[in-house]
Structures are given as structure tokens and as C-alpha cells.
Amino acid sequence: MPANLTPAYKSAESAYKKARDPKERLELLREMLRLIPKHKGTDHLQADIKSKIKEVTESLTGPKKGGSKGGPPTSFRPEGAGQIALVGPPNTGKSTLHARLTGSHTETGPYPFTTQFPQPGMMPHLDIAFQLIDLPPISDQHPIPWIGNTLQSANGCLLVVDLGHPECVEEVLTVLEVLAAKKVVLSERWPSDGGTVGDPDDPFTFHLPTLLIGTKADRSSDPDADLEVFEELTGCRFPYLAISIEHELGLDAIGSTLFDRLEVVRVYSKAPGKPPDLDKPFTLRKGQTVEQLAELVHRDFAAGLQFARVWGATSFDGQHVGRDHVLVDGDVIELHM
Ligand SMILES: Nc1nc2c(ncn2[C@@H]2O[C@H](COP(=O)(O)OP(=O)(O)O)[C@@H](O)[C@H]2O)c(=O)[nH]1
Ligand SMILES: [Mg+2]
């Protein structure tokens, strides 16, 4: 029996697929459930939506333990220029990397499964920051019930591997399988490649842009060659970087790669008659407009917006522009209400 989904339902579903904030996703899931035509042909989809609602609700309050709610939260509202999850097998250096890049004090150790719960932190890059989420190792021995849901708020992930470890290839293939079973597909496509392609018939399969990170490069004579061989053996085509915490190698490239691949655009706001605030840019994505900046500055600004003035690389100084004007990195904007 065909599902015969209505345009209103489809629009809620496509908003859900784009949403990153768990609270926003929860609202959109409820809207999907309200709007979905209630008949036999949508039984499966209705059940999927209900179980998603349960999952996201629980993730916001912490995982259930012994029937009662409690424990740390397992999903996070994205902050900064993008949310990036640290994914990988045990002992590859995820927490060490997280601590080095964010200044966090997440536990690290020479034994597996030191990290139990997700740990957010901010990683500065230029005058912005990315949110890095450290995660427990992914393996088939220690299932993590909330992992699929936690990853859904991410804009991308770092797949952290230790190429010096003899079982590296098998372990990473297991990570990919475990995630696929949770409907999370690690994808080599980033927004800079035109974005990931989802399955139009399955709103709950999630494609996560992935950057492969080969750690402990201090132990290898040719870490880039190792990564190339690794991709051949696994059939993966992720963009990759070799790094070492011990030798401070390749660390800056992580921020700049994320910046480019996510197509981050920094925009500086300015009040009329005042100098621009060059300390704290707003972060948008390539192709976003004055209207989307206004929404970021204040919820009600977009509605009352009359025009804007722009100082930047693709406009003459103080140029008047409308709400559909596309912003570029480094633009200074004055919003007129
Ligand atoms: N030689 C070397 N060891 C590292 C590097 N990064 C992490 N390690 C070590 O790898 C082990 C596992 O690190 P940890 O961050 O706890 O791994 P996680 O399980 O992936 O979070 C620790 O003993 C770290 O000191 C590195 O760049 N070089
Ligand atoms: Mg760890």
C-alpha cells in the first residue's frame, strides 16, 4: 500500500533531515507524527518516528539506568562553526587528541575503554571554534545504545585510527558495520563536494561526512603512505590527514580542513555609525544570505529586515543589498530594520 505522504509531511521531514539541534529535531519529529497520514501504508514509518522520538527524548535527559533516568546527556546542541564527533576503535588516541585540541581534561589511558560518555569541547581555529565531541570507542564488544542518536547532531566526524596497530583494518571495518546497523553511514562527501546524498525513501539513514585521521604518525616512517594503503585495504575513500600529538604534527591542518570542507563563512556584524565587531564573527555556510545572518543575530530580525550594507571582498564599501544577497567569508554587515 502506498504511503501517499502529503507535501506538509514531506516538508517537515526534509526540515528534520537538515536539523542538527536535538531539541529542534524532537519538535520536527513530533510534527512529522502529527502530519503523517494515518493508514496501513504508513504503519512502519509511524513506528520509526515514534521510536526516534523516544530515543531523542532520552538522549536529552541522559541514558536510562536500571529503569530510572539519569547519567550524563548523550546528545548536544551544536555550538560554534560546526559539531565534529571523534569516532574510532579503542586506544587510537581520540581522547588525547580531544584534550590537545580543546584543552579538555577527558580521560586518556594506555588501556581501552577509558572514555564512557560523550564529552564536548571547543577547538579554536582562526577567530572561530569547532565543537569536538569525544566518544567511547566503537567495537562489537561494548555496544553503545545511544551512539546513533548522538552522531545525528554532528556536521562531520573524525574517524581516528592507529595505523601501527596490527588489527587496525578489522577494527575500522567493525566500526563501519556497527554504525551502519545504527543507520549511520560514514561518507567521503563533504559540503565542499556538493554534500552527502541520502536515501530519499529512508529519512532515518544518516550520512556523516568523514575525515580519516591517522594518529601516532611519530611511530611511522611514511604515515601518508600508510593511510593510502589503509584506504585500499578497506575500500574507503575518505579525505585523510596524518597527525602526531607527540611530535605536534598535522594538528593545524585539522581546523583548516574542517573550515574548507564545511564551507564556513565568517561574517562580522556592525551597528550603524559604529565600528564593526571584529572579535566575534557569526558563522554561516557558503551560499547563505543576509536573511540567514539576520536570523542568527536575532530571532525576530529576519522579519523586520529592510536592507543591509556590506563591506567585503565581493561588494563595494557600504553597498546596499537585499535579504537574498549571498555573503562571503570576511564580510562586514550592517543590518537595517
Ligand atoms: N606515540 C604516540 N602515542 C599517542 C599519540 N596520541 C595518543 N597516544 C597514546 O595512545 C594511547 C591511547 O590514547 P587515548 O587518547 O586514551 O585513546 P582513545 O581510546 O582513542 O581515546 C595513550 O597511551 C596515548 O598516550 C601520539 O600522537 N603518539
Ligand atoms: Mg578515549
PDB file of all heavy atoms in Angstrom, residues 89-96 107-110 114-115 216 218-219 244-246, ligand 1:
ATOM      1  N   PRO A  89      37.981   2.962  16.771  1.00  0.00           N
ATOM      2  CA  PRO A  89      38.187   1.817  17.663  1.00  0.00           C
ATOM      3  C   PRO A  89      38.874   2.261  18.962  1.00  0.00           C
ATOM      4  O   PRO A  89      39.278   3.422  19.078  1.00  0.00           O
ATOM      5  CB  PRO A  89      39.109   0.880  16.863  1.00  0.00           C
ATOM      6  CG  PRO A  89      39.326   1.502  15.532  1.00  0.00           C
ATOM      7  CD  PRO A  89      38.834   2.903  15.576  1.00  0.00           C
ATOM      8  N   PRO A  90      39.029   1.338  19.942  1.00  0.00           N
ATOM      9  CA  PRO A  90      39.682   1.684  21.209  1.00  0.00           C
ATOM     10  C   PRO A  90      41.152   2.083  21.029  1.00  0.00           C
ATOM     11  O   PRO A  90      41.808   1.613  20.103  1.00  0.00           O
ATOM     12  CB  PRO A  90      39.608   0.385  22.018  1.00  0.00           C
ATOM     13  CG  PRO A  90      38.670  -0.512  21.312  1.00  0.00           C
ATOM     14  CD  PRO A  90      38.569  -0.066  19.910  1.00  0.00           C
ATOM     15  N   ASN A  91      41.612   2.971  21.930  1.00  0.00           N
ATOM     16  CA  ASN A  91      43.055   3.211  22.079  1.00  0.00           C
ATOM     17  C   ASN A  91      43.757   3.850  20.898  1.00  0.00           C
ATOM     18  O   ASN A  91      44.963   3.698  20.739  1.00  0.00           O
ATOM     19  CB  ASN A  91      43.766   1.876  22.350  1.00  0.00           C
ATOM     20  CG  ASN A  91      44.322   1.844  23.749  1.00  0.00           C
ATOM     21  OD1 ASN A  91      44.410   2.877  24.410  1.00  0.00           O
ATOM     22  ND2 ASN A  91      44.706   0.673  24.207  1.00  0.00           N
ATOM     23  N   THR A  92      43.022   4.557  20.027  1.00  0.00           N
ATOM     24  CA  THR A  92      43.661   5.128  18.845  1.00  0.00           C
ATOM     25  C   THR A  92      44.180   6.540  19.108  1.00  0.00           C
ATOM     26  O   THR A  92      44.891   7.096  18.278  1.00  0.00           O
ATOM     27  CB  THR A  92      42.679   5.155  17.655  1.00  0.00           C
ATOM     28  OG1 THR A  92      41.510   5.878  18.040  1.00  0.00           O
ATOM     29  CG2 THR A  92      42.285   3.757  17.234  1.00  0.00           C
ATOM     30  N   GLY A  93      43.799   7.126  20.253  1.00  0.00           N
ATOM     31  CA  GLY A  93      44.272   8.471  20.573  1.00  0.00           C
ATOM     32  C   GLY A  93      43.186   9.532  20.459  1.00  0.00           C
ATOM     33  O   GLY A  93      43.494  10.727  20.402  1.00  0.00           O
ATOM     34  N   LYS A  94      41.914   9.140  20.469  1.00  0.00           N
ATOM     35  CA  LYS A  94      40.816  10.106  20.346  1.00  0.00           C
ATOM     36  C   LYS A  94      40.809  11.097  21.508  1.00  0.00           C
ATOM     37  O   LYS A  94      40.725  12.307  21.302  1.00  0.00           O
ATOM     38  CB  LYS A  94      39.451   9.378  20.311  1.00  0.00           C
ATOM     39  CG  LYS A  94      39.266   8.497  19.096  1.00  0.00           C
ATOM     40  CD  LYS A  94      37.942   7.749  19.125  1.00  0.00           C
ATOM     41  CE  LYS A  94      37.824   6.721  20.242  1.00  0.00           C
ATOM     42  NZ  LYS A  94      38.848   5.636  20.176  1.00  0.00           N
ATOM     43  N   SER A  95      40.881  10.565  22.727  1.00  0.00           N
ATOM     44  CA  SER A  95      40.785  11.459  23.889  1.00  0.00           C
ATOM     45  C   SER A  95      42.029  12.329  24.026  1.00  0.00           C
ATOM     46  O   SER A  95      41.937  13.492  24.425  1.00  0.00           O
ATOM     47  CB  SER A  95      40.558  10.638  25.162  1.00  0.00           C
ATOM     48  OG  SER A  95      39.322   9.957  25.080  1.00  0.00           O
ATOM     49  N   THR A  96      43.188  11.772  23.672  1.00  0.00           N
ATOM     50  CA  THR A  96      44.420  12.564  23.698  1.00  0.00           C
ATOM     51  C   THR A  96      44.305  13.722  22.707  1.00  0.00           C
ATOM     52  O   THR A  96      44.662  14.866  23.019  1.00  0.00           O
ATOM     53  CB  THR A  96      45.627  11.677  23.314  1.00  0.00           C
ATOM     54  OG1 THR A  96      45.612  10.505  24.127  1.00  0.00           O
ATOM     55  CG2 THR A  96      46.932  12.407  23.505  1.00  0.00           C
ATOM     56  N   GLU A 107      39.483  11.799  30.055  1.00  0.00           N
ATOM     57  CA  GLU A 107      40.419  10.759  30.488  1.00  0.00           C
ATOM     58  C   GLU A 107      41.074  10.070  29.305  1.00  0.00           C
ATOM     59  O   GLU A 107      40.420   9.702  28.349  1.00  0.00           O
ATOM     60  CB  GLU A 107      39.679   9.714  31.315  1.00  0.00           C
ATOM     61  CG  GLU A 107      39.427  10.162  32.735  1.00  0.00           C
ATOM     62  CD  GLU A 107      38.618   9.122  33.470  1.00  0.00           C
ATOM     63  OE1 GLU A 107      39.200   8.082  33.810  1.00  0.00           O
ATOM     64  OE2 GLU A 107      37.424   9.366  33.683  1.00  0.00           O
ATOM     65  N   THR A 108      42.375   9.889  29.395  1.00  0.00           N
ATOM     66  CA  THR A 108      43.090   9.126  28.376  1.00  0.00           C
ATOM     67  C   THR A 108      43.861   8.030  29.106  1.00  0.00           C
ATOM     68  O   THR A 108      44.092   8.124  30.309  1.00  0.00           O
ATOM     69  CB  THR A 108      44.111   9.990  27.614  1.00  0.00           C
ATOM     70  OG1 THR A 108      45.091  10.466  28.545  1.00  0.00           O
ATOM     71  CG2 THR A 108      43.433  11.176  26.961  1.00  0.00           C
ATOM     72  N   GLY A 109      44.238   7.016  28.387  1.00  0.00           N
ATOM     73  CA  GLY A 109      44.997   5.974  29.065  1.00  0.00           C
ATOM     74  C   GLY A 109      45.470   4.929  28.102  1.00  0.00           C
ATOM     75  O   GLY A 109      44.916   4.791  27.015  1.00  0.00           O
ATOM     76  N   PRO A 110      46.518   4.181  28.490  1.00  0.00           N
ATOM     77  CA  PRO A 110      47.083   3.171  27.597  1.00  0.00           C
ATOM     78  C   PRO A 110      46.243   1.902  27.560  1.00  0.00           C
ATOM     79  O   PRO A 110      46.696   0.881  27.102  1.00  0.00           O
ATOM     80  CB  PRO A 110      48.467   2.909  28.205  1.00  0.00           C
ATOM     81  CG  PRO A 110      48.327   3.221  29.649  1.00  0.00           C
ATOM     82  CD  PRO A 110      47.249   4.269  29.765  1.00  0.00           C
ATOM     83  N   THR A 114      38.621   3.738  28.199  1.00  0.00           N
ATOM     84  CA  THR A 114      38.766   4.733  29.255  1.00  0.00           C
ATOM     85  C   THR A 114      37.599   5.724  29.196  1.00  0.00           C
ATOM     86  O   THR A 114      37.108   6.185  30.223  1.00  0.00           O
ATOM     87  CB  THR A 114      40.095   5.500  29.102  1.00  0.00           C
ATOM     88  OG1 THR A 114      41.119   4.558  28.803  1.00  0.00           O
ATOM     89  CG2 THR A 114      40.457   6.245  30.356  1.00  0.00           C
ATOM     90  N   THR A 115      37.177   6.054  27.979  1.00  0.00           N
ATOM     91  CA  THR A 115      36.092   7.022  27.800  1.00  0.00           C
ATOM     92  C   THR A 115      34.740   6.304  27.799  1.00  0.00           C
ATOM     93  O   THR A 115      34.564   5.333  27.077  1.00  0.00           O
ATOM     94  CB  THR A 115      36.261   7.757  26.452  1.00  0.00           C
ATOM     95  OG1 THR A 115      37.610   8.158  26.318  1.00  0.00           O
ATOM     96  CG2 THR A 115      35.353   8.961  26.351  1.00  0.00           C
ATOM     97  N   LYS A 216      49.413   8.950  15.836  1.00  0.00           N
ATOM     98  CA  LYS A 216      50.714   8.373  16.227  1.00  0.00           C
ATOM     99  C   LYS A 216      51.668   8.304  15.032  1.00  0.00           C
ATOM    100  O   LYS A 216      52.412   7.319  14.866  1.00  0.00           O
ATOM    101  CB  LYS A 216      50.514   6.993  16.885  1.00  0.00           C
ATOM    102  CG  LYS A 216      49.398   7.021  17.949  1.00  0.00           C
ATOM    103  CD  LYS A 216      49.277   5.734  18.750  1.00  0.00           C
ATOM    104  CE  LYS A 216      48.001   5.748  19.586  1.00  0.00           C
ATOM    105  NZ  LYS A 216      47.820   4.556  20.426  1.00  0.00           N
ATOM    106  N   ASP A 218      54.231   9.734  14.670  1.00  0.00           N
ATOM    107  CA  ASP A 218      55.627   9.708  15.153  1.00  0.00           C
ATOM    108  C   ASP A 218      56.230   8.310  15.095  1.00  0.00           C
ATOM    109  O   ASP A 218      57.439   8.136  15.116  1.00  0.00           O
ATOM    110  CB  ASP A 218      55.694  10.273  16.588  1.00  0.00           C
ATOM    111  CG  ASP A 218      54.626   9.680  17.502  1.00  0.00           C
ATOM    112  OD1 ASP A 218      53.452  10.123  17.411  1.00  0.00           O
ATOM    113  OD2 ASP A 218      54.949   8.781  18.286  1.00  0.00           O
ATOM    114  N   ARG A 219      55.346   7.303  15.016  1.00  0.00           N
ATOM    115  CA  ARG A 219      55.840   5.918  15.015  1.00  0.00           C
ATOM    116  C   ARG A 219      56.021   5.353  13.613  1.00  0.00           C
ATOM    117  O   ARG A 219      56.356   4.171  13.462  1.00  0.00           O
ATOM    118  CB  ARG A 219      54.874   5.023  15.775  1.00  0.00           C
ATOM    119  CG  ARG A 219      54.850   5.341  17.268  1.00  0.00           C
ATOM    120  CD  ARG A 219      53.985   4.347  17.976  1.00  0.00           C
ATOM    121  NE  ARG A 219      53.951   4.604  19.402  1.00  0.00           N
ATOM    122  CZ  ARG A 219      53.046   4.113  20.219  1.00  0.00           C
ATOM    123  NH1 ARG A 219      52.100   3.331  19.750  1.00  0.00           N
ATOM    124  NH2 ARG A 219      53.075   4.395  21.502  1.00  0.00           N
ATOM    125  N   SER A 244      50.403  13.654  14.723  1.00  0.00           N
ATOM    126  CA  SER A 244      51.029  13.113  15.927  1.00  0.00           C
ATOM    127  C   SER A 244      50.914  14.143  17.039  1.00  0.00           C
ATOM    128  O   SER A 244      51.218  15.316  16.833  1.00  0.00           O
ATOM    129  CB  SER A 244      52.510  12.811  15.676  1.00  0.00           C
ATOM    130  OG  SER A 244      53.186  12.717  16.918  1.00  0.00           O
ATOM    131  N   ILE A 245      50.447  13.685  18.183  1.00  0.00           N
ATOM    132  CA  ILE A 245      50.407  14.578  19.338  1.00  0.00           C
ATOM    133  C   ILE A 245      51.821  14.717  19.892  1.00  0.00           C
ATOM    134  O   ILE A 245      52.277  15.812  20.228  1.00  0.00           O
ATOM    135  CB  ILE A 245      49.487  14.018  20.449  1.00  0.00           C
ATOM    136  CG1 ILE A 245      48.113  13.672  19.895  1.00  0.00           C
ATOM    137  CG2 ILE A 245      49.392  14.983  21.613  1.00  0.00           C
ATOM    138  CD1 ILE A 245      47.194  14.812  19.633  1.00  0.00           C
ATOM    139  N   GLU A 246      52.527  13.603  19.954  1.00  0.00           N
ATOM    140  CA  GLU A 246      53.902  13.610  20.485  1.00  0.00           C
ATOM    141  C   GLU A 246      54.791  14.600  19.736  1.00  0.00           C
ATOM    142  O   GLU A 246      55.547  15.323  20.342  1.00  0.00           O
ATOM    143  CB  GLU A 246      54.521  12.207  20.357  1.00  0.00           C
ATOM    144  CG  GLU A 246      53.741  11.131  21.069  1.00  0.00           C
ATOM    145  CD  GLU A 246      54.312  10.796  22.434  1.00  0.00           C
ATOM    146  OE1 GLU A 246      55.534  10.539  22.515  1.00  0.00           O
ATOM    147  OE2 GLU A 246      53.534  10.782  23.405  1.00  0.00           O
TER     148      GLU A 246
HETATM  149  N1  LIG B   1      53.214   7.732  20.219  1.00  0.00           N
HETATM  150  C1  LIG B   1      52.021   8.339  20.339  1.00  0.00           C
HETATM  151  N2  LIG B   1      51.103   7.896  21.235  1.00  0.00           N
HETATM  152  C2  LIG B   1      49.923   8.507  21.324  1.00  0.00           C
HETATM  153  C3  LIG B   1      49.590   9.625  20.473  1.00  0.00           C
HETATM  154  N3  LIG B   1      48.316  10.011  20.751  1.00  0.00           N
HETATM  155  C4  LIG B   1      47.884   9.196  21.746  1.00  0.00           C
HETATM  156  N4  LIG B   1      48.825   8.284  22.089  1.00  0.00           N
HETATM  157  C5  LIG B   1      48.712   7.229  23.145  1.00  0.00           C
HETATM  158  O1  LIG B   1      47.693   6.288  22.793  1.00  0.00           O
HETATM  159  C6  LIG B   1      47.077   5.753  23.966  1.00  0.00           C
HETATM  160  C7  LIG B   1      45.558   5.806  23.858  1.00  0.00           C
HETATM  161  O2  LIG B   1      45.142   7.140  23.890  1.00  0.00           O
HETATM  162  P1  LIG B   1      43.645   7.597  24.200  1.00  0.00           P
HETATM  163  O3  LIG B   1      43.586   9.043  23.842  1.00  0.00           O
HETATM  164  O4  LIG B   1      43.202   7.208  25.551  1.00  0.00           O
HETATM  165  O5  LIG B   1      42.845   6.718  23.124  1.00  0.00           O
HETATM  166  P2  LIG B   1      41.254   6.589  22.889  1.00  0.00           P
HETATM  167  O6  LIG B   1      40.844   5.274  23.479  1.00  0.00           O
HETATM  168  O7  LIG B   1      41.117   6.561  21.382  1.00  0.00           O
HETATM  169  O8  LIG B   1      40.592   7.769  23.498  1.00  0.00           O
HETATM  170  C8  LIG B   1      47.622   6.573  25.136  1.00  0.00           C
HETATM  171  O9  LIG B   1      48.594   5.814  25.793  1.00  0.00           O
HETATM  172  C9  LIG B   1      48.223   7.796  24.473  1.00  0.00           C
HETATM  173  O10 LIG B   1      49.304   8.337  25.204  1.00  0.00           O
HETATM  174  C10 LIG B   1      50.595  10.096  19.535  1.00  0.00           C
HETATM  175  O11 LIG B   1      50.418  11.048  18.752  1.00  0.00           O
HETATM  176  N5  LIG B   1      51.776   9.402  19.512  1.00  0.00           N
END
